Amino acid sequence: MAADASHAPAAGAEAPQPKAMGAILALAAVVGTIVSLAAWVFLELIHQLQVGVFDGLPKDLGYAHGAPWWWSLPICAAAGLIVAIVIMRLPGFGGHVPAYGLAASATQPVEVPGVLLAAIATVGLGVVLGPEAPLLALGSGLAILAVRLARRDAPPELVTVMAAAGSFAAMSFLFEAPIIAAVILIEASGIGGKQLPLVLLPGLLASGIGSLVSIGMGSFTGLSTSAYAIGTLSLPAFGRPTFVDFGWTIALAIAVAAGCVAIVVLGRRIHPVVMRRPFVLIPVAGAVVSGLAIAFEQMTDKGVEQVLFSGQDALGPLTDNPGAWSVGALGALLVVKGLAWGVSLGSFRGGPTFPAMFLGAAAGVMASHLPGFDITAAVAVGMGAAVVAVLRLPLSAVVLASLLTSKSGLADTPLIIVGVVVAYLATAALSARLDPAYSAGEGPGAPAAEATAAPAAPALAPR
């Protein structure tokens, strides 16, 4: 993932005076409130769409025992058509291409509707991508709009700081942890030195106050974030790592990195192909994703939902009851969902983080069958290795895996660190052979890349 400095103030920017910082923090609190409520509505809409389309609608049409085997085919194809229309007709091209990582650039307000529509079609209709990337766009876009409405002549530095605060609020709402949001955004945008407090303080305040408001709204309306927010996983307590754990950690990290590199490269190769005829080939890509899910259901005793969707909802049940999965079913899941994820990365719009976490956890559950490899350590290492292989953000991968498995103690942290470092190095070595741009951390992820791949697209303002 290429670092993007658009969330960072100018290099020579100095910290504001206390009075000015107070005004910035007050504005950040307002932005955090607005963005968190908007993020809550967005995630609730996606959740209700998934439930309605894949559960409620089949029952309404007379399928008392659930959706028929072919149900996801027209749904995923329709998602592809909607995404193609957004990419080709609306400002912003529906957001960045997920095969190029998680973009940390600010999104202009005019681009937000297209990004959200593409994300609702992608995530809400079962394609294998997550909501974190559109949430970042929603947060920064609403923050920029709020600042411009409040003060038309707002200095660019203030707009940039508020855009970062909006992204903080949106990301922390999803992970239920401002720390995860802060680490991911700071590492992705390369903020440091004297710039850090200027961005970090308003961002943390926005995410903290906004989360409190959202919790209150959830209590008032009866709608709960528990259906889609990520909390800590329930895994057995882990005492201390052994030499055997370290040995299996290295092997698992290399294997996970190799699989993730192959999947991401597949997405990058697919992207220019589908953009040649997006109105035809993106719906076809949706049908391919559905077909892979149907094939998985026929091969195993598991449902299509294990392959469809980001894996965000399935992550907890997978780690809560690993005994429900045979080694063969886990192997099939890794291959089939990996292929579906690769197709989604290059064709649709959304975030790459949650599929990486889910497949990393699945690889960990599978690796826990190795002699002497504890399941808690294996799942934590698998998630960390997958996240760093896809996002190229080692500190974020360590923090994410550590916090999500913190209920089991912190004894697995050394293994997570070793796994992330090994996976990062393995990713660099493997991707250098398969995709030099990926190896260099390049990730256009911007509409400019779409303009090159799809000459028929209208000329729109760049992000």
Side-chain angles (χ1 to χ4, degrees):
M1 171 184 170
D4 194 317
S6 60
H7 266 347
E14 297 183 0
Q17 296 299 317
K19 184 176 180 180
M21 177 58 83
I24 291 174
L25 292 176
L27 182 58
V30 175
V31 167
T33 302
I34 296 172
V35 168
S36 291
L37 290 174
W40 176 61
V41 172
F42 172 69
L43 290 172
E44 187 66 38
L45 175 60
I46 287 179
H47 173 67
Q48 295 298 334
L49 181 62
Q50 290 176 343
V51 173
V53 170
F54 288 92
D55 186 22
L57 186 57
K59 292 179 180 177
D60 292 341
L61 294 177
Y63 296 102
H65 301 290
W69 66 267
W70 50 265
W71 186 260
S72 61
L73 276 170
I75 302 299
C76 292
L81 181 59
I82 296 171
V83 171
I85 293 172
V86 171
I87 291 173
M88 302 302 292
R89 295 290 181 259
L90 295 183
F93 297 93
H96 77 288
V97 182
Y100 292 93
L102 187 65
S105 57
T107 300
Q108 296 303 316
V110 70
E111 300 171 354
V112 171
V115 172
L116 296 185
L117 181 57
I120 290 170
T122 296
V123 185
L125 297 181
V127 179
V128 191
L129 290 172
E132 71 279 7
L135 276 177
L136 289 176
L138 173 65
S140 62
L142 285 182
I144 292 172
L145 178 62
V147 172
R148 289 177 177 171
L149 289 176
R151 182 180 173 185
R152 290 184 177 275
D153 60 342
E157 292 81 4
L158 177 61
V159 175
T160 300
V161 169
M162 288 302 107
S167 296
F168 269 65
M171 186 69 87
S172 66
F173 183 89
L174 179 62
F175 285 103
E176 294 187 329
I179 296 300
I180 294 179
V183 171
I184 291 176
L185 292 173
I186 289 171
E187 190 173 20
S189 58
I191 302 171
K194 295 181 178 180
Q195 305 170 17
L196 184 57
L198 183 59
V199 175
L200 183 59
L201 292 179
L204 289 175
L205 181 63
S207 59
I209 291 182
S211 295
L212 290 175
V213 173
S214 297
I215 291 171
M217 283 295 294
S219 301
F220 177 74
T221 62
L223 299 173
S224 172
T225 62
S226 61
Y228 41 77
I230 291 293
T232 53
L233 302 177
S234 297
L235 289 164
F238 181 64
R240 62 178 182 177
T242 65
F243 287 110
V244 174
D245 288 321
F246 276 103
W248 288 130
T249 288
I250 295 172
L252 176 61
I254 294 173
V256 169
C260 288
V261 169
I263 290 167
V264 172
V265 171
L266 172 63
R268 291 190 173 203
R269 300 284 169 81
I270 286 176
H271 175 243
V273 175
V274 299
M275 290 310 301
R276 292 171 188 167
R277 299 184 65 187
F279 292 110
V280 174
L281 294 181
I282 297 181
V284 168
V288 169
V289 171
S290 171
L292 288 167
I294 294 170
F296 174 78
E297 183 180 49
Q298 299 301 313
M299 289 187 296
T300 68
D301 60 346
K302 307 298 181 182
V304 294
E305 70 278 0
Q306 299 297 333
V307 172
L308 298 177
F309 310 108
S310 66
Q312 179 180 347
D313 296 333
L315 181 59
L318 171 68
T319 58
D320 288 346
N321 190 19
W325 288 82
S326 66
V327 173
L330 287 168
L333 177 66
L334 291 172
V335 173
V336 176
K337 192 177 182 75
L339 290 173
W341 181 29
V343 173
S344 302
L345 283 171
S347 308
F348 288 85
R349 294 295 183 268
T353 309
F354 286 106
M357 291 166 52
F358 178 77
L359 287 179
V365 173
M366 188 175 181
S368 68
H369 290 272
L370 295 168
F373 201 13
D374 189 276
I375 185 171
T376 298
V379 168
V381 169
M383 286 195 299
V387 170
V388 78
V390 174
L391 300 187
R392 309 297 293 274
L393 303 175
L395 181 58
S396 299
V398 170
V399 171
L400 189 60
S402 298
L403 289 182
L404 290 181
T405 59
S406 60
K407 281 185 178 179
S408 306
L410 299 177
D412 60 356
T413 303
L415 297 175
I416 295 172
I417 294 173
V418 170
V420 166
V421 171
V422 170
Y424 186 88
L425 296 176
T427 299
L430 294 170
S431 58
R433 294 177 175 271
L434 299 175
D435 190 333
Y438 182 28
S439 176
E442 296 177 13
E450 299 291 4
T452 302
L460 301 173
R463 290 174 68 187

